[in-house]
Amino acid sequence: MAEKEISIIHPRPSSIVAALYTLRDLNVDVAIMHGPPGCSFKHARLLEEDGIHVVTTGLDENNFVFGGHDKLVQLINKSVELFNPKLIGIVGTCPSMIIGEEMHDAVLEANPDVPVIEVEVHAGYHDNTKGVLFALESALDAGIIDHKEFERQKYLLEKATEVEKKFGAASREYLAPSRGDVKYKAAQRVIQLLKEGKKGLVIMNAKKETGYMFADITLAVNEVAEALGNKENLINMANIDPELGLPRVRQHAEYITRDLKAHGVEVHEIIGGMDEYPIAGEKVSELIKEKYSDFDFAVISGVPHAIPMENIKNMELISITNGPRQVLPLKEMGHEYVLVEIDLHPKTLGVSGIVESEFGATLREVAKEA
C-alpha cells in the first residue's frame, strides 16, 4: 500500500508567490497580478523593494462573475506606458483561474511590443513549487530560457521538494515555530572552539538572495578567527558559483563573491550555484569525506538540513536558518545549536551587498569581550 502523504496544516507561501519570485529571478520589469487587490499583498510589496513593479487588475465581486478581461488588457497597456518594460510577467490568482480567465487572449489583444511570461496559477497546489514550474514553462515558451536551463531548474525543484519533505518544514503535519537557541551562547561556543585551535568548516548553503545575510556569518567567523590567530584552521564553503542560475541569481553570486574577496575571505570550496541548495549538500558531504573528515566543528548557514548527516555526525554543529519551523527538525538531526535569523528575507531584498546578520553581530561583540 502506498504511504499516505502528510497533510501539512501550517501556512506556507503559495504557488502564486512562488511564481512571482521566479518572475523576479527572470528579471521581469513588471509583474501583473490578475486578481483582487489584496492577493499576495505582503510579497508584492517585498518584491517592489527588490526593484520590480508589481501591479494588480484589482478584480472585484462583479469581475468574479463576469470576468476581468478588459481590466487586464487596460493594465497591460498602462504598464507599458508607465514603465517602458523590456519583459512583462502576468500571474493568475485563485479568482481569475477559478472562473477560467484566458489571460493569453488579453495579451493578444493588448499586443505589447515586448515578451510576456503568462503564468496560469492559483494557490490550490499542495507543493508551492508548482508556481515556479509554471513560470519556467511559460518562460521557455516565450524564449526567455532554453530547454537545458528549464530541465536543470525542474530537477532542482524536485530535489528542493524532496529535501523539505524529508527534513524541512514539510516533514510533518505541524511544526511549532521557534526562535532557536540563544545567539550569545552559540557565539561563546564558536569562540571557545576557535581559541582551542579546533578545525572548523564554515559552510554557506543559501537560497538565492538570503545569501546576502548568511554570507555575513561566514565573514564574522573568519574575522573572529583571524583576530584569534587561527584563521588557517577554517575551511570556507559556499554555493556562490556565478555561472549557474537564472539571471538575478547569478548576479547575487557575483556580488557576494565580490564582498567576501573585499574582506579577505577565501572561499576554498565552491559547492554550487545559489539555486542549487537542494543538491549542494551532497557535494559538501563528498568533500568532507574526501578531505575534511577530521574537522572538529561546522558552522552551517542557509539550508543546513540539505546537508546529509553521514559525514558530519561526529562534528559539533552550529546551524543558522531563517525558518522558525526548521529548528526542531535540525535538533532532531543532531545539530547542537540551531539559530534563527528572524526577518532575514525583508532585509535581503533590494540589496546588492552583504547584510549584517544577528549572529554575525553577536559573534563580533562577544569576541570583543573574550
Side-chain angles (χ1 to χ4, degrees):
M1 180 184 293
E3 189 175 341
K4 186 178 179 182
E5 191 169 6
I6 297 171
S7 177
I8 309 298
I9 61 174
H10 44 70
R12 293 174 299 155
S14 74
S15 298
I16 299 169
V17 171
L20 280 169
Y21 277 94
T22 305
L23 291 176
R24 182 276 314 268
D25 291 341
L26 288 160
N27 275 348
V28 302
D29 302 290
V30 182
I32 296 174
M33 301 276 293
H34 189 36
C39 183
S40 303
F41 164 75
K42 180 179 178 182
H43 288 281
R45 276 280 182 88
L46 288 173
L47 285 167
E48 286 193 300
E49 293 294 321
D50 212 16
I52 69 172
H53 303 286
V54 184
V55 294
T56 173
T57 49
L59 299 185
D60 56 21
E61 291 177 317
N62 187 55
N63 302 129
F64 294 171
V65 178
F66 298 106
H69 171 89
D70 291 345
K71 279 191 168 183
L72 182 54
V73 173
Q74 291 165 10
L75 188 56
I76 294 171
N77 290 329
K78 189 68 177 177
S79 296
V80 171
E81 176 189 333
L82 284 175
F83 308 120
N84 191 26
K86 295 179 181 174
L87 180 61
I88 296 173
I90 302 177
V91 183
T93 61
C94 297
S96 60
M97 294 297 97
I98 287 171
I99 64 174
E101 198 78 278
E102 294 290 344
M103 297 195 304
H104 188 60
D105 288 348
V107 174
L108 290 176
E109 184 172 333
N111 194 27
D113 193 24
V114 294
V116 179
I117 302 173
E118 304 160 25
V119 191
E120 294 194 0
V121 65
H122 53 70
Y125 296 99
H126 194 263
D127 296 327
N128 60 16
T129 48
K130 284 285 186 183
V132 181
L133 183 62
F134 293 160
L136 292 169
E137 285 174 343
S138 184
L140 177 64
D141 292 342
I144 306 302
I145 60 172
D146 59 24
H147 194 72
K148 182 179 177 182
E149 181 63 22
F150 173 76
E151 289 297 330
R152 177 179 169 274
Q153 293 289 333
K154 189 177 173 184
Y155 171 70
L156 292 175
L157 284 175
E158 291 168 354
K159 299 304 287 186
T161 301
E162 190 178 298
V163 167
E164 290 308 311
K165 288 185 176 180
K166 279 186 178 177
F167 310 112
S171 61
R172 64 199 69 188
E173 188 176 65
Y174 181 74
L175 280 164
S178 167
R179 296 295 179 99
D181 292 303
V182 176
K183 294 181 177 65
Y184 180 80
K185 292 288 185 184
Q188 283 184 317
R189 182 58 183 156
V190 171
I191 291 167
Q192 183 183 0
L193 289 165
L194 291 170
K195 278 185 169 180
E196 291 173 356
K198 302 291 186 183
K199 293 195 292 186
L201 300 172
V202 186
I203 305 167
M204 186 186 89
N205 184 33
K207 181 179 180 180
K208 304 178 183 179
E209 66 274 10
T210 65
Y212 286 119
M213 187 175 284
F214 288 128
D216 180 61
I217 291 161
T218 296
L219 196 54
V221 176
N222 277 265
E223 287 173 3
V224 173
E226 185 171 25
L228 294 172
N230 285 327
K231 192 175 177 180
E232 71 279 4
N233 287 347
L234 295 180
I235 290 293
N236 300 307
M237 302 184 186
N239 61 326
I240 50 173
D241 189 330
E243 303 298 322
L244 295 173
L246 299 179
R248 190 168 294 225
V249 174
R250 296 199 300 270
Q251 192 176 60
H252 297 326
E254 288 177 11
Y255 289 158
I256 291 171
T257 300
R258 174 202 64 196
D259 287 0
L260 289 175
K261 281 184 179 177
H263 286 86
V265 175
E266 178 184 0
V267 177
H268 304 88
E269 306 282 2
I270 301 293
I271 56 174
M274 298 202 73
D275 56 1
E276 292 194 328
Y277 60 92
I279 60 172
E282 294 290 345
K283 183 166 186 178
V284 170
S285 189
E286 291 171 12
L287 285 167
I288 292 172
K289 183 179 179 181
E290 292 171 6
K291 301 165 70 174
Y292 308 114
S293 60
D294 61 336
F295 274 54
D296 303 292
F297 72 98
V299 177
I300 310 172
S301 66
V303 188
H305 52 291
I307 298 175
M309 288 297 294
E310 182 181 2
N311 294 312
I312 58 174
K313 61 185 176 186
N314 294 325
M315 298 180 191
E316 185 167 339
L317 304 178
I318 300 99
S319 294
I320 305 95
T321 173
N322 65 323
R325 298 186 194 277
Q326 195 57 58
V327 174
L328 180 61
L330 283 167
K331 284 284 187 180
E332 290 180 347
M333 289 172 74
H335 294 237
E336 279 82 359
Y337 293 91
V338 180
L339 315 174
V340 180
E341 290 287 340
I342 297 294
D343 294 332
L344 177 149
H345 210 214
K347 294 176 182 174
T348 54
L349 288 171
V351 303
S352 57
I354 291 177
V355 175
E356 187 175 59
S357 62
E358 286 185 4
F359 183 56
T362 305
L363 190 60
R364 293 179 179 103
E365 286 302 311
V366 175
K368 291 177 185 175
E369 303 167 0

